[in-house]
Amino acid sequence: MKNSAPIRVFLVEDSLVALTILKRILASSPEVDVVGTASNGVEALERIPGAQPQVICTDLHMPKMDGLELTRRIMTDYPRPILVISTSVNTQEDSRNVFKLLQAGALDVFPKPSIDSLSDYEQVKHELVNRIKVLAGVTVFTRHTSRATVEPRTHPVSPKKPEPFSPKPVSNSQFPIRNFPSLPKVVAIGASTGGPQALYAILKQLPANFPVPILCVQHISEGFLQGLVDWLAAECFLCVTIAQPGEFPKPGTVYFAPERQHLQLDTQGRLTTVSTPAVSGHRPSVTALFQAVANCYPRSAVGILLTGMGRDGADGLQAIAQAGGTTIAQDEQTCVVFGMPKEAIALGAAQHILAIGEIAPMLLNRISSYRLG
């Protein structure tokens, strides 16, 4: 049986040291072929059409044209899966800007390897090549987006005013599905590849006084979680934060599991974090969160499983369903990677299968029927 051809990768990086390290890592894998490089976005746009890469890896900060503008141009002119390879933490603004690349069409982020990280060479190689393999299987589409809608803010952001809880009317015929069995007391969301964009699509539709707390697990490279939280907090009306042990979850607040820790709930309903072994290969794990939510709020939890590779969250979604809660899986058409939701659907754990744009309206419609009905 013939081996499949290696994945064609194009690297955009202005640091010669970083570029050398990346080329060395990828050259050692027979599954990847670096078909071109550029030191900035202008060079990249000239060379990418001839190189015909399957995946493009780009840095954020570069001269002449940075990674954000490059991402916009690629997604407009010849869309390809884009992996952002960047220093995970510099300033808060840099951290947010990394996620603006995802908002513009990039699919995932990965920490830039350094000389120090080469002590874990095989681990870095394994993770980077796996990330590229996942993205190589993703189909992306041309984005016809005006600059006005994607240009990053360059002026101070005015304080956000709370919006009243007044969801737009949504007819039951739009969602031919049963109501929540009881008034939800918590919403739990899990996601992996493509998750930041999916979370943004849901959370941006929810008002500041959304009447229940939201607990989240997002698989993301170490060092990028705070940037994700800062970006979502700047873009959404909800309060977005990293969970602190001992706190009772508050309505209108989104709590993310800390890096390297599972997010749990104690018998009183307070947030706890634990460093117990990985579940489904992950820590934090979606399944670990969902199981904790099922135990604490057996009939009043909503579990939502979004885009991602693997099967983390499938067993946890089943636990919520079996406990009497409500379960939702993102549909195949709107997933970047239809892995985790597919596994949950195969288990029969997903009561509702919805496009990403339908999830927030369903939450608002069903919860408002209890509050306003």
Side-chain angles (χ1 to χ4, degrees):
M1 182 176 172
K2 258 189 175 180
N3 291 330
S4 57
I7 298 164
R8 299 169 61 84
V9 175
F10 193 98
L11 302 176
V12 191
E13 171 59 65
D14 67 317
S15 165
L16 183 58
V17 172
L19 184 61
T20 301
I21 292 171
L22 286 169
K23 288 171 69 176
R24 174 182 164 189
I25 291 172
L26 295 179
S28 66
S29 171
E31 298 175 285
V32 174
D33 181 16
V34 176
V35 295
T37 66
S39 61
N40 59 64
V42 174
E43 288 182 3
L45 290 174
E46 293 172 352
R47 298 173 184 176
I48 286 171
Q52 288 296 304
Q54 294 166 266
V55 176
I56 297 168
C57 301
T58 184
D59 191 11
L60 170 61
H61 291 296
M62 295 178 293
K64 297 184 180 179
M65 182 187 292
D66 65 10
L68 181 56
E69 181 62 22
L70 174 62
T71 297
R72 292 174 182 150
R73 294 282 296 274
I74 289 171
M75 297 309 296
T76 299
D77 298 337
Y78 24 80
R80 298 284 192 281
I82 299 172
L83 175 64
V84 182
I85 300 182
S86 180
T87 304
S88 56
V89 286
N90 268 332
T91 66
Q92 187 179 53
E93 187 60 27
D94 282 349
S95 199
R96 287 182 189 173
N97 282 338
V98 166
F99 288 91
K100 288 185 181 294
L101 270 73
L102 271 64
Q103 193 173 358
L107 296 182
D108 206 353
V109 295
F110 190 83
K112 185 183 294 187
S114 64
I115 296 295
D116 294 337
S117 68
L118 291 184
S119 59
D120 302 316
Y121 180 84
E122 286 302 322
Q123 180 67 23
V124 172
K125 171 186 167 183
H126 173 76
E127 291 179 2
L128 178 56
V129 171
N130 273 357
R131 203 69 62 92
I132 288 171
K133 286 166 64 177
V134 169
L135 298 191
V138 175
T139 301
V140 295
F141 300 94
T142 302
R143 289 196 174 194
H144 299 289
T145 309
S146 68
R147 288 182 59 87
T149 60
V150 295
E151 190 71 34
R153 294 177 177 136
T154 56
H155 53 82
V157 180
S158 301
K160 289 180 261 184
K161 297 178 181 179
E163 290 189 342
F165 184 81
S166 55
K168 295 179 181 177
V170 182
S171 67
N172 287 335
S173 62
Q174 184 175 343
F175 298 109
I177 46 186
R178 64 182 177 82
N179 283 333
F180 294 154
S182 61
L183 174 62
K185 294 181 180 176
V186 67
V187 174
I189 306 177
S192 188
T193 306
Q197 302 95 315
L199 286 164
Y200 168 79
I202 294 172
L203 298 179
K204 72 174 182 178
Q205 298 185 64
L206 302 180
N209 60 342
F210 186 68
V212 297
I214 300 173
L215 311 183
C216 292
V217 167
Q218 167 67 52
H219 299 160
I220 196 163
S221 296
E222 188 172 351
F224 287 103
L225 177 62
Q226 188 63 57
L228 172 64
V229 167
D230 292 343
W231 172 63
L232 289 173
E235 297 290 335
C236 304
F237 286 100
L238 299 165
C239 176
V240 186
T241 188
I242 297 174
Q244 298 297 318
E247 185 176 357
F248 283 102
K250 299 173 186 174
T253 302
V254 183
Y255 299 90
F256 277 87
E259 292 179 338
R260 295 186 175 183
Q261 296 182 69
H262 297 305
L263 181 56
Q264 307 272 268
L265 293 158
D266 66 16
T267 55
Q268 304 300 312
R270 289 174 297 206
L271 298 172
T272 63
T273 58
V274 296
S275 299
T276 49
V279 177
S280 300
H282 295 278
R283 190 179 68 199
S285 161
V286 179
T287 281
L289 171 63
F290 283 1
Q291 288 175 338
V293 164
N295 290 335
C296 193
Y297 299 101
R299 287 187 52 79
S300 53
V302 179
I304 303 172
L305 191 56
L306 303 176
T307 172
M309 178 63 73
R311 68 178 320 275
D312 186 28
D315 295 329
L317 203 70
Q318 188 174 49
I320 292 176
Q322 291 175 342
T326 300
T327 57
I328 301 168
Q330 186 179 351
D331 70 356
E332 182 175 5
Q333 288 72 28
T334 61
C335 278
V336 170
V337 179
F338 189 53
M340 289 158 39
K342 181 180 180 180
E343 293 290 339
I345 293 166
L347 281 179
Q351 298 161 353
H352 314 305
I353 303 169
L354 299 177
I356 191 64
E358 296 176 333
I359 294 174
M362 177 191 170
L363 290 174
L364 292 171
N365 188 49
R366 300 311 187 205
I367 289 174
S368 68
S369 69
Y370 283 95
R371 290 175 57 88
L372 307 177

